[in-house]
mmCIF file of all heavy atoms in Angstrom:
data_model
loop_
_atom_site.group_PDB
_atom_site.id
_atom_site.type_symbol
_atom_site.label_atom_id
_atom_site.label_comp_id
_atom_site.label_asym_id
_atom_site.label_seq_id
_atom_site.Cartn_x
_atom_site.Cartn_y
_atom_site.Cartn_z
ATOM 1 N N SER A 644 102.805 27.133 139.139
ATOM 2 C CA SER A 644 102.715 26.856 137.696
ATOM 3 C C SER A 644 102.841 28.212 137.014
ATOM 4 O O SER A 644 102.890 29.246 137.692
ATOM 5 C CB SER A 644 101.376 26.198 137.349
ATOM 6 O OG SER A 644 100.331 27.148 137.455
ATOM 7 N N CYS A 645 102.850 28.241 135.671
ATOM 8 C CA CYS A 645 103.091 29.531 134.993
ATOM 9 C C CYS A 645 101.935 30.508 135.220
ATOM 10 O O CYS A 645 102.109 31.701 135.203
ATOM 11 C CB CYS A 645 103.343 29.305 133.505
ATOM 12 S SG CYS A 645 101.849 29.256 132.486
ATOM 13 N N GLN A 646 100.743 29.982 135.431
ATOM 14 C CA GLN A 646 99.530 30.768 135.683
ATOM 15 C C GLN A 646 99.177 31.704 134.523
ATOM 16 O O GLN A 646 98.464 32.693 134.702
ATOM 17 C CB GLN A 646 99.646 31.518 137.014
ATOM 18 C CG GLN A 646 99.817 30.520 138.166
ATOM 19 C CD GLN A 646 99.905 31.141 139.527
ATOM 20 O OE1 GLN A 646 99.018 31.879 139.928
ATOM 21 N NE2 GLN A 646 100.978 30.850 140.236
ATOM 22 N N LYS A 647 99.683 31.388 133.317
ATOM 23 C CA LYS A 647 99.402 32.222 132.145
ATOM 24 C C LYS A 647 98.891 31.394 130.973
ATOM 25 O O LYS A 647 98.210 31.910 130.106
ATOM 26 C CB LYS A 647 100.680 32.932 131.676
ATOM 27 C CG LYS A 647 101.232 33.948 132.636
ATOM 28 C CD LYS A 647 102.256 34.842 131.965
ATOM 29 C CE LYS A 647 103.575 34.158 131.742
ATOM 30 N NZ LYS A 647 104.572 34.335 132.796
ATOM 31 N N CYS A 648 99.259 30.127 130.905
ATOM 32 C CA CYS A 648 98.958 29.335 129.703
ATOM 33 C C CYS A 648 97.468 28.965 129.684
ATOM 34 O O CYS A 648 96.757 29.158 130.667
ATOM 35 C CB CYS A 648 99.834 28.086 129.648
ATOM 36 S SG CYS A 648 99.388 26.819 130.849
ATOM 37 N N GLU A 649 97.002 28.407 128.559
ATOM 38 C CA GLU A 649 95.568 28.134 128.452
ATOM 39 C C GLU A 649 95.114 27.088 129.475
ATOM 40 O O GLU A 649 93.991 27.168 129.977
ATOM 41 C CB GLU A 649 95.173 27.719 127.023
ATOM 42 C CG GLU A 649 95.763 26.424 126.549
ATOM 43 C CD GLU A 649 95.229 26.011 125.170
ATOM 44 O OE1 GLU A 649 94.004 25.892 124.999
ATOM 45 O OE2 GLU A 649 96.068 25.827 124.277
ATOM 46 N N ASN A 650 95.976 26.138 129.816
ATOM 47 C CA ASN A 650 95.570 25.126 130.796
ATOM 48 C C ASN A 650 95.492 25.726 132.199
ATOM 49 O O ASN A 650 94.547 25.454 132.941
ATOM 50 C CB ASN A 650 96.528 23.933 130.757
ATOM 51 C CG ASN A 650 96.444 23.192 129.426
ATOM 52 O OD1 ASN A 650 95.542 23.439 128.635
ATOM 53 N ND2 ASN A 650 97.372 22.291 129.191
ATOM 54 N N CYS A 651 96.470 26.547 132.552
ATOM 55 C CA CYS A 651 96.413 27.226 133.857
ATOM 56 C C CYS A 651 95.179 28.123 133.919
ATOM 57 O O CYS A 651 94.449 28.130 134.923
ATOM 58 C CB CYS A 651 97.661 28.065 134.095
ATOM 59 S SG CYS A 651 99.107 27.093 134.541
ATOM 60 N N GLU A 656 95.986 23.588 136.303
ATOM 61 C CA GLU A 656 97.408 23.894 136.539
ATOM 62 C C GLU A 656 98.273 22.640 136.455
ATOM 63 O O GLU A 656 99.466 22.716 136.163
ATOM 64 C CB GLU A 656 97.604 24.534 137.920
ATOM 65 C CG GLU A 656 96.867 25.835 138.144
ATOM 66 C CD GLU A 656 95.472 25.655 138.712
ATOM 67 O OE1 GLU A 656 94.958 24.509 138.732
ATOM 68 O OE2 GLU A 656 94.878 26.663 139.123
ATOM 69 N N TYR A 658 98.269 20.531 134.272
ATOM 70 C CA TYR A 658 98.663 20.316 132.875
ATOM 71 C C TYR A 658 99.307 21.572 132.285
ATOM 72 O O TYR A 658 99.296 21.772 131.068
ATOM 73 C CB TYR A 658 97.448 19.896 132.040
ATOM 74 C CG TYR A 658 96.745 18.660 132.576
ATOM 75 C CD1 TYR A 658 95.383 18.677 132.885
ATOM 76 C CD2 TYR A 658 97.445 17.478 132.790
ATOM 77 C CE1 TYR A 658 94.746 17.542 133.388
ATOM 78 C CE2 TYR A 658 96.825 16.352 133.294
ATOM 79 C CZ TYR A 658 95.469 16.390 133.591
ATOM 80 O OH TYR A 658 94.852 15.268 134.086
ATOM 81 N N CYS A 659 99.834 22.446 133.145
ATOM 82 C CA CYS A 659 100.522 23.670 132.710
ATOM 83 C C CYS A 659 101.478 23.319 131.568
ATOM 84 O O CYS A 659 102.259 22.369 131.671
ATOM 85 C CB CYS A 659 101.301 24.253 133.894
ATOM 86 S SG CYS A 659 102.295 25.683 133.428
ATOM 87 N N THR A 660 101.385 24.108 130.468
ATOM 88 C CA THR A 660 102.200 23.761 129.292
ATOM 89 C C THR A 660 103.695 23.954 129.571
ATOM 90 O O THR A 660 104.527 23.412 128.861
ATOM 91 C CB THR A 660 101.780 24.575 128.052
ATOM 92 O OG1 THR A 660 101.845 25.956 128.385
ATOM 93 C CG2 THR A 660 100.370 24.231 127.600
ATOM 94 N N SER A 661 104.033 24.752 130.604
ATOM 95 C CA SER A 661 105.452 24.861 130.986
ATOM 96 C C SER A 661 105.768 23.927 132.146
ATOM 97 O O SER A 661 106.799 24.087 132.786
ATOM 98 C CB SER A 661 105.818 26.267 131.423
ATOM 99 O OG SER A 661 105.127 27.223 130.741
ATOM 100 N N TYR A 662 104.841 23.042 132.481
ATOM 101 C CA TYR A 662 105.042 22.057 133.533
ATOM 102 C C TYR A 662 104.869 22.743 134.891
ATOM 103 O O TYR A 662 105.526 23.753 135.168
ATOM 104 C CB TYR A 662 106.456 21.455 133.433
ATOM 105 C CG TYR A 662 106.506 19.969 133.723
ATOM 106 C CD1 TYR A 662 105.764 19.059 132.956
ATOM 107 C CD2 TYR A 662 107.279 19.461 134.765
ATOM 108 C CE1 TYR A 662 105.809 17.702 133.221
ATOM 109 C CE2 TYR A 662 107.319 18.103 135.024
ATOM 110 C CZ TYR A 662 106.587 17.234 134.253
ATOM 111 O OH TYR A 662 106.628 15.903 134.517
HETATM 112 ZN ZN1 ZN B 1366 100.630 27.202 132.807
#
Side-chain angles (χ1 to χ4, degrees):
S644 72
C645 87
Q646 299 182 56
K647 294 195 285 267
C648 72
E649 65 175 304
N650 294 349
C651 284
E656 300 90 348
Y658 304 124
C659 175
T660 55
S661 326
Y662 219 59

